[in-house]
Amino acid sequence: TTMRPMSNRVARGMGLAVGLLLAALLVLDNRMPRGTGTLGADVVFAVTPTGELAITPSGPFLSATQLRPGPEAHAPSGTLEAFNQSPVSLQVHLRGLPSLLDIDEALWVSVESDGRQLFRGPVGDLRNWTSQFLTLASGEKATLTVRTWLPPSAPKGWEGRVATVDLEFRSDVVGA
């Protein structure tokens, strides 16, 4: 009868050891992956409609998170539709006002409409009205594609930044 309690103790000890080993393996398997040690940049592009133009969607239309330097080909993008609701033809210029100066040279932006480039360059250069413009006849629509990225040569200062870029539109009557 003394053999039986000894074998129970050994079995319990073995069961405890196996259980602890399985728990340790489960914890190791479900660990958070190790980070790179560098925070990416987060940027949100938003737009407010004007009186002459109906812009859809209104508000935020592009959210790019954890941006790191990389090729333009992988740039996040968003689309807008501009509709001339005035009775006259309009030349439409745009600009972007970033909330931070830290990203002016690092963050790049491209704005195209139907394959035509309206702007491409650092977001700091977009603080001024674009020299390129859209011409929209009364009742005409245009689709704009906005892309943003950090080029491989991006200067430091973007790490961990969270910014918004307010995209604004200015309409001038054609021929005025």
Side-chain angles (χ1 to χ4, degrees):
T1 61
T2 56
M3 292 284 215
R4 188 165 224 166
M6 182 66 107
S7 65
N8 282 345
R9 275 189 260 178
V10 169
R12 283 184 188 155
M14 295 282 286
L16 180 64
V18 168
L20 288 173
L21 179 63
L22 287 174
L25 289 173
L26 185 64
V27 167
L28 288 174
D29 187 50
N30 290 314
R31 284 186 312 179
M32 291 289 286
R34 193 165 225 153
T36 63
T38 304
L39 292 173
D42 295 348
V43 64
V44 174
F45 283 77
V47 67
T48 304
T50 67
E52 301 86 13
L53 296 174
I55 308 290
T56 53
S58 181
F61 68 93
L62 169 57
S63 179
T65 59
Q66 291 298 313
L67 286 176
R68 289 185 168 73
E72 181 180 351
H74 297 113
S77 66
T79 57
L80 297 168
E81 191 170 89
F83 173 72
N84 180 358
Q85 57 191 10
S86 77
V88 294
S89 293
L90 299 173
Q91 283 184 350
V92 180
H93 297 263
L94 59 121
R95 71 176 176 181
L97 301 175
S99 61
L100 297 174
L101 294 173
D102 299 356
I103 63 167
D104 273 10
E105 296 303 316
L107 185 71
W108 277 54
V109 179
S110 168
V111 182
E112 293 180 3
S113 179
D114 299 321
R116 187 169 156 248
Q117 188 116 29
L118 300 175
F119 178 83
R120 184 179 184 283
V123 72
D125 291 352
L126 193 54
R127 288 181 184 274
N128 300 312
W129 293 106
T130 57
S131 58
Q132 297 294 316
F133 55 86
L134 281 173
T135 301
L136 293 176
S138 179
E140 188 177 7
K141 293 181 191 179
T143 300
L144 289 96
T145 302
V146 179
R147 293 182 307 140
T148 189
W149 71 100
L150 292 165
S153 61
K156 295 292 182 195
W158 53 265
E159 298 89 343
R161 299 297 190 259
V162 178
T164 58
V165 178
D166 292 322
L167 205 56
E168 297 181 345
F169 292 84
R170 184 187 81 208
S171 308
D172 299 318
V173 175
V174 172

